[in-house]
Amino acid sequence: MAITDIKAFAHLTATDIETLGHELDSVRRSVEQSLGERDANYIRRTIAAQRALEVAGRAVLFGSRNRWAWVTGTALLSVAKIIENMELGHNISHGQWDWMNDPEIHSSSWEWDMTGPSAQWRRAHNYSHHTYTNVLGKDEDLGFGILRMTRDEPWRPLHLVQPVANLILAATFEWGIALHDWSIEKELSGVPPRQLRSEPNVVFGRKIARQVAKDFVFYPALTGPAFTSTLKANATANLVRNLWAYAVIFCGHFPDGAEKFTIEQLEDETSGEWYLRQMLGSANFKAGPTMAFMSGNLCYQIEHHLFPDLPSNRYPEVAARVRELCDKYDLPYTTGSLGKQYLLAFRTIHKLALPDRFLRRTSDNAPETSSERKFAGITLPTPVTNWNGTEHLHWSIDPATGRRRGLRSALHEAKTVLQEKARHEKEVLREAKRTLKEKARHEKEVLREAKRSLKEKAKAERESLRREYQLRRAAK
């Protein structure tokens, strides 16, 4: 199963976790207190740049029957759509800029350039995903309802096609998100499935009509004779935006190290445990300033899950402080290159398409899913209460360095133990192979000796028969 006891898995006491929570609260307060004109200028410049790119792209597409004009216009429009989706629509809808009290840049009024209504996304994403991050049965974003991303989910024959479903989801990501959020909105609103004129259905239908008309009718029609080539350019820009958004999201949620949790973890979950769940259930990828900007700073997915409503331009400085806390509490900080993180997620998608009988690991000790039970018999700590009532773990301080030993050390120790176990099993198999070879050689020698004995016996019997025959002839 996935993690049921985050304290045991993280090798931290309840006191450790609450102290960690207080330190993360301090990070939040320091950022909130320092917000000001610099941040406001950042988002306004971003909006201006995005709009300039879109206008330039659509202007160039008036000549889209020319090959280079088509390529240039499509590239400009693709970049504009990516920025609008990642750094503007996603982050503004999280309320990251509500502190400005600007009605144009407010989560309640911003409508993004995507198929699904922003309001439905905000309710489904901000509530379902960010409250219950990676909790099985609560986080609807865990596989988006069509992909099996943990062995805790029972395998079904339908999962055999999930490699194909994954490709379709990537290409149509905005539609997958829209349908996903629409379904959650109806569920949260208690709307009967057959009530076609329900508010969620009406709002959803109107947004689809506006979005399709804008990209595939209105703007192509403005270019007159270039209608068809502009239509193709808009479709291509949407595809590029979908593929990029899909890759960024999957790299932040599904590589190895982005842990999953059972619903039991939510029972009496404290603020500190919520913070810790966000840290352990998310993953970053390495990016320079340009890639970070194009990803909406979601290359800092850990920081985003910790503080989803803090302005995204502050995530790099927040990340430095989160790393320091990970070092202090000996917690892993899951990150890697964009390619590596996606390949890990890609491997999980294809691996879990198969029935469990074809998989080597268990759901307690698999690269994509693990639990506190993976440490059973290795490092699982036992809380100890001192004479003064303070709680600690019997192994929590390294006697050699005086540093805290937590999950990072436990994972390293577990890996070492497993490698030693694998080495021992390999040696046992090698010895068994040698024994079998020796046994086979001995049996072969025994058979060869038996064969020689039989030959000798047969030769002696033939010789005896020959002599007897000769004596009978002589007697006659």
Side-chain angles (χ1 to χ4, degrees):
M1 294 179 65
I3 297 168
T4 60
D5 185 345
I6 200 168
K7 292 191 293 293
F9 182 80
H11 290 65
L12 296 175
T13 66
T15 303
D16 289 332
I17 294 174
E18 291 316 299
T19 304
L20 172 63
H22 294 323
E23 295 192 71
L24 288 168
D25 283 336
S26 177
V27 172
R28 166 184 283 280
R29 284 193 300 271
S30 66
V31 173
E32 289 176 335
Q33 290 168 4
S34 65
L35 294 176
E37 193 64 26
R38 175 171 67 94
D39 305 284
N41 289 337
Y42 169 82
I43 191 62
R44 290 186 177 118
R45 285 196 302 268
T46 300
I47 292 173
Q50 186 276 329
R51 290 175 177 172
L53 285 168
E54 182 170 1
V55 169
R58 295 199 183 280
V60 172
L61 287 176
F62 273 88
S64 60
R65 286 188 295 178
N66 175 276
R67 178 183 176 184
W68 292 109
W70 188 91
V71 171
T72 302
T74 302
L76 289 170
L77 189 57
S78 298
V79 172
K81 282 180 172 287
I82 287 173
I83 295 172
E84 196 287 328
N85 178 212
M86 306 303 294
E87 185 67 354
L88 296 178
H90 174 272
N91 293 336
I92 291 174
S93 295
H94 265 297
Q96 293 182 6
W97 306 96
D98 287 1
W99 58 273
M100 294 172 58
N101 294 317
D102 185 336
E104 183 188 7
I105 316 173
H106 198 276
S107 60
S108 62
S109 57
W110 187 276
E111 187 59 52
W112 62 358
D113 182 30
M114 292 273 280
T115 301
S118 291
Q120 292 187 359
W121 179 85
R122 284 196 303 271
R123 187 173 182 189
H125 185 77
N126 291 352
Y127 170 75
S128 174
H129 178 57
H130 278 275
T131 303
Y132 304 110
T133 305
N134 280 14
V135 176
L136 298 164
K138 298 292 287 186
D139 183 4
E140 300 290 344
D141 283 13
L142 191 53
F144 298 98
I146 62 172
L147 300 177
R148 181 184 184 229
M149 301 304 294
T150 171
R151 301 172 199 224
D152 294 275
E153 181 181 347
W155 181 85
R156 293 177 293 157
L158 183 63
H159 290 129
L160 288 171
V161 302
Q162 81 175 24
V164 177
N166 176 57
L167 295 177
I168 296 172
L169 176 64
T172 61
F173 197 57
E174 64 171 318
W175 286 92
I177 294 297
L179 293 169
H180 175 70
D181 297 338
W182 173 52
S183 174
I184 295 175
E185 176 71 13
K186 290 194 295 181
E187 181 181 342
L188 294 175
S189 301
V191 175
R194 296 186 180 183
Q195 188 179 336
L196 299 180
R197 295 292 300 174
S198 65
E199 183 177 357
N201 289 355
V202 171
V203 171
F204 186 60
R206 286 175 179 170
K207 181 60 189 296
I208 289 175
R210 287 197 302 272
Q211 198 68 19
V212 170
K214 174 177 73 69
D215 278 339
F216 304 118
V217 179
F218 179 71
Y219 281 118
L222 283 181
T223 61
F227 178 92
T228 302
S229 56
T230 302
L231 178 66
K232 293 178 181 177
N234 285 355
T236 302
N238 281 350
L239 175 63
V240 171
R241 185 266 319 277
N242 288 345
L243 293 175
W244 177 245
Y246 155 86
V248 168
I249 297 304
F250 271 59
C251 285
H253 294 82
F254 302 123
D256 296 357
E259 304 296 347
K260 287 78 176 176
F261 306 85
T262 66
I263 202 166
E264 287 82 3
Q265 174 53 40
L266 296 178
E267 296 177 6
D268 302 319
E269 186 177 60
T270 65
S271 173
E273 289 176 345
W274 183 89
Y275 273 132
L276 182 57
R277 177 160 54 81
Q278 306 307 314
M279 296 172 72
L280 298 181
S282 313
N284 287 3
F285 63 85
K286 298 173 183 176
T290 301
M291 186 181 289
F293 176 73
M294 294 299 290
S295 71
N297 283 290
L298 292 182
C299 54
Y300 301 103
Q301 192 70 233
I302 295 172
E303 289 70 27
H304 174 62
H305 274 160
L306 288 170
F307 311 112
D309 56 349
L310 287 185
S312 58
N313 65 308
R314 294 299 194 95
Y315 286 158
E317 64 186 77
V318 172
R321 299 179 66 177
V322 172
R323 275 184 175 273
E324 290 175 0
L325 290 173
C326 285
D327 289 338
K328 178 178 178 180
Y329 290 90
D330 199 27
L331 294 171
Y333 187 83
T334 305
T335 189
S337 67
L338 177 69
K340 175 189 174 183
Q341 299 298 71
Y342 180 70
L343 286 176
L344 290 174
F346 187 78
R347 180 210 60 198
T348 296
I349 291 168
H350 286 70
K351 182 171 65 175
L352 296 188
L354 300 173
D356 288 349
R357 65 178 180 274
F358 293 106
L359 306 177
R360 294 175 58 189
R361 301 284 188 88
T362 69
S363 59
D364 290 328
N365 190 26
E368 75 284 348
T369 307
S370 57
S371 78
E372 65 276 8
R373 284 171 292 278
K374 75 181 293 180
F375 301 113
I378 303 175
T379 62
L380 199 61
T382 303
V384 177
T385 303
N386 288 342
W387 62 271
N388 59 2
T390 60
E391 185 183 38
H392 70 286
L393 301 178
H394 73 274
W395 78 303
S396 60
I397 302 298
D398 189 325
T401 64
R403 292 176 59 86
R404 183 191 305 271
R405 297 177 66 212
L407 177 57
R408 189 187 297 172
S409 295
L411 290 171
H412 176 73
E413 183 175 333
K415 183 178 180 180
T416 302
V417 170
L418 288 173
Q419 287 176 340
E420 180 61 26
K421 182 180 178 182
R423 189 199 62 77
H424 176 69
E425 290 177 348
K426 190 175 181 180
E427 184 60 34
V428 169
L429 288 173
R430 190 181 294 115
E431 185 61 32
K433 187 177 180 180
R434 281 198 297 266
T435 301
L436 288 172
K437 280 185 177 180
E438 182 62 27
K439 183 178 179 181
R441 188 195 63 77
H442 176 70
E443 290 177 348
K444 189 175 181 180
E445 184 62 33
V446 169
L447 287 172
R448 190 182 294 115
E449 185 62 33
K451 187 176 180 180
R452 278 199 300 268
S453 297
L454 289 172
K455 282 183 177 179
E456 289 292 328
K457 184 178 180 181
K459 182 178 178 182
E461 289 177 350
R462 285 197 303 271
E463 185 63 28
S464 174
L465 289 172
R466 186 179 65 79
R467 285 196 299 269
E468 183 179 350
Y469 173 73
Q470 289 176 343
L471 288 173
R472 285 179 181 179
R473 285 191 65 182
K476 289 181 178 181

